[in-house]
């Protein structure tokens, strides 16, 4: 769907801020551009909608070289969300959400139905918010309206630049959860820029970790965490490594290393596709510290100790 081939951007000749970047993003996939400040993430994203022109290399969207597509046409095929919601202050919420549908000349009824449906999905009761102005919204609400605006015309591609970055951690987690839960996001090809490791692991099907304009590693969250390509990648995730790893290893992954305990009283059941972190949380909140795992009909009761033992055995055996 989106392909970058040896893309370079130099604002000053001889000083590339994006250096030989190549990756592709499949239809319906979410790729997260992760990295420290100044590593070239935003520049990479902005080259995809031609807000910035590459110095060399090629970018393809839907198989077409984007230099052959007028910037306005290209941008109309992509939703775009920025860190600051960048709503138009003199437009109501409804008018802000319908900006692109209006450009696409949707009729009034279709626009109204779409706007109402999106606000409901993003937990902004339309009766209360349709006619509100941006100045009357909290940061979290404004960001939800920004998301609704980017989704309104249902374009197949969504570009997001630190979309949750300006929010406090709790609001951020809520807006992110609601975003993840939207059916229509599952079908879209999403490119998301963040410097937040947890966010990258939670949202990315794949992650492209950037360092000084280059790709340090590109792969699934589990690959980056468990098979880091370099010391830089390994140390990037070090802060909360165990917590993060528990989120990307599933109970099924460690099934053979997992010994069972006697059945608990509370009957909490999780599928084996659950992450070890979910299993730990379920076990710790179960009252007797146990959770039942159903692995396609095979059953094991486990507790937090068994989960951590299996995790260490799995790491030492498979990824040492
Ligand atoms: N218009 C510009 N002119 C000159 N230099 C620029 C311009 N835009 C960005 N840069 C430089 O390019 C480098 C990469 O910036 P970029 O915004 O892509 O990084 P980033 O990884 O997105 O960082 P952040 O998370 O801080 O936004 C930085 O050193 C920045 O100063």
């Amino acid at each position: 769907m989106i392909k970058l081939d040896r893309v370079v951007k130099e604002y000053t000749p001889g000083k590339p801020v994006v250096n030989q970047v190549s990756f592709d993003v499949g239809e319906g996939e979410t790729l997260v551009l992760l990295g420290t400040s100044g590593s070239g993430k935003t520049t990479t994203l902005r080259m995809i909608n031609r807000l910035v022109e590459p110095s060399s290399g090629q970018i393809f969207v839907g198989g077409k070289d984007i230099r052959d597509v007028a910037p306005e046409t290209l941008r109309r095929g992509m939703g775009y969300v920025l860190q600051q919601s960048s709503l138009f202050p003199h437009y109501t919420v409804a008018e802000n959400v319908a900006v692109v549908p209006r450009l696409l000349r949707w009729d009034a009824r279709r626009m109204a139905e779409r706007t109402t449906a999106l606000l409901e999905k993003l937990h902004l009761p339309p009766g209360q918010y349709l006619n509100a102005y941006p100045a009357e919204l909290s940061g979290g609400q404004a960001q939800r309206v920004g998301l609704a605006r980017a989704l309104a015309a249902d374009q197949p591609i969504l570009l997001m630049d630190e979309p949750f970055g300006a929010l406090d951690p709790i609001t951020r987690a809520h807006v992110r959860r609601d975003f993840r839960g939207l059916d229509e996001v599952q079908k879209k090809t999403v490119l998301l820029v963040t410097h937040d490791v947890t966010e990258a692991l939670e949202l990315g099907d794949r992650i492209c970790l950037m360092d000084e304009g280059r790709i340090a590693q590109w792969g699934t969250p589990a690959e980056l965490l468990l098979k880091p390509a370099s010391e830089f990648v390994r140390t990037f995730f070090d802060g909360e490594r165990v917590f993060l790893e528990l989120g990307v290893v599933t109970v099924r992954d460690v099934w053979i290393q997992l010994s069972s305990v006697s059945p608990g009283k509370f009957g909490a059941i999780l599928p084996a596709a659950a992450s070890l972190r979910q299993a730990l949380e379920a076990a710790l909140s179960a009252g007797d510290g146990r959770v039942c795992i159903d692995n396609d009909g095979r059953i094991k009761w486990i507790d937090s100790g068994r989960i951590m033992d299996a995790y260490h055995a799995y790491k030492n055996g498979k990824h040492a």
Side-chain angles (χ1 to χ4, degrees):
M1 190 76 181
I2 299 176
K3 181 175 163 64
L4 274 69
D5 185 18
R6 288 166 292 161
V7 171
V8 175
K9 177 66 190 176
E10 296 176 347
Y11 290 105
T12 311
K15 291 191 178 157
V17 298
V18 172
N19 199 351
Q20 299 287 337
V21 164
S22 303
F23 59 70
D24 51 60
V25 197
E27 201 173 323
E29 191 175 73
T30 296
L31 178 77
V32 174
L33 295 174
L34 175 68
T36 49
S37 185
S39 56
K41 311 179 293 293
T42 296
T43 303
T44 302
L45 192 76
R46 289 164 68 92
M47 286 193 279
I48 294 167
N49 63 6
R50 295 195 63 184
L51 286 171
V52 173
E53 296 291 343
S55 308
S56 65
Q58 280 180 294
I59 302 178
F60 301 89
V61 171
K64 277 195 189 155
D65 188 323
I66 62 170
R67 284 174 300 191
D68 300 331
V69 184
E72 305 73 47
T73 312
L74 185 71
R75 285 174 211 149
R76 249 173 239 176
M78 304 175 177
Y80 189 34
V81 192
L82 296 163
Q83 175 169 11
Q84 302 295 343
S85 72
S86 69
L87 300 176
F88 299 116
H90 304 300
Y91 281 16
T92 62
V93 165
E95 288 164 342
N96 266 292
V97 173
V99 164
V100 181
R102 197 173 298 117
L103 280 174
L104 298 174
R105 302 189 190 288
W106 287 22
D107 67 55
R109 178 155 168 214
R110 184 175 172 208
M111 279 195 293
E113 282 172 3
R114 178 73 177 145
T115 305
T116 307
L118 275 171
L119 291 185
E120 271 168 4
K121 285 187 198 175
L122 286 160
H123 303 119
L124 293 168
Q128 203 175 333
Y129 291 103
L130 273 174
N131 297 315
Y133 284 90
E136 302 167 65
L137 304 174
S138 71
Q141 288 162 348
Q143 206 56 5
R144 285 167 198 266
V145 175
L147 286 174
R149 181 172 65 180
L151 294 168
D154 204 17
Q155 298 120 316
I157 295 175
L158 191 55
L159 304 182
M160 310 179 83
D161 194 352
E162 293 275 3
F164 315 110
L167 307 175
D168 66 83
I170 293 177
T171 309
R172 185 179 179 116
H174 287 164
V175 180
R176 197 163 71 207
R177 185 196 56 205
D178 292 342
F179 169 74
R180 249 176 84 186
L182 292 173
D183 289 344
E184 47 203 287
V185 172
Q186 315 299 328
K187 292 178 290 176
K188 290 190 194 297
T189 305
V190 182
L191 246 116
L192 181 142
V193 164
T194 186
H195 60 263
D196 181 323
V197 170
T198 309
E199 191 160 299
L201 295 170
E202 199 176 292
L203 298 178
D205 297 313
R206 285 200 270 178
I207 294 175
C208 178
L209 176 60
M210 296 188 66
D211 178 32
E212 296 184 351
R214 289 183 181 273
I215 297 181
Q217 191 170 353
W218 172 48
T220 63
E223 283 166 352
L224 267 76
L225 269 173
L226 301 170
K227 299 177 191 167
S230 64
E231 192 57 20
F232 171 81
V233 180
R234 203 182 60 73
T235 47
F236 195 85
F237 293 101
D238 260 354
E240 302 168 82
R241 171 166 295 280
V242 172
F243 178 74
L244 296 170
E245 286 182 359
L246 289 170
V248 300
V249 178
T250 67
V251 179
R252 186 172 284 122
D253 292 334
V254 302
W255 189 254
I256 50 172
Q257 288 98 339
L258 199 56
S259 56
S260 41
V261 294
S262 56
K265 291 196 205 79
F266 292 89
I269 300 178
L270 276 185
S275 69
L276 294 186
R277 198 192 310 160
Q278 288 168 325
L280 258 183
E281 281 163 6
L284 294 172
S285 58
D288 58 3
R290 290 165 198 206
V291 60
C292 178
I293 304 292
D294 180 349
N295 186 0
D296 297 329
R298 289 173 296 161
I299 298 289
K300 274 184 192 174
W301 280 90
I302 55 175
D303 64 10
S304 56
R306 301 303 188 285
I307 295 168
M308 292 313 292
D309 288 349
Y311 157 72
H312 289 300
Y314 173 78
K315 271 202 75 178
N316 293 334
K318 198 165 165 191
H319 296 289

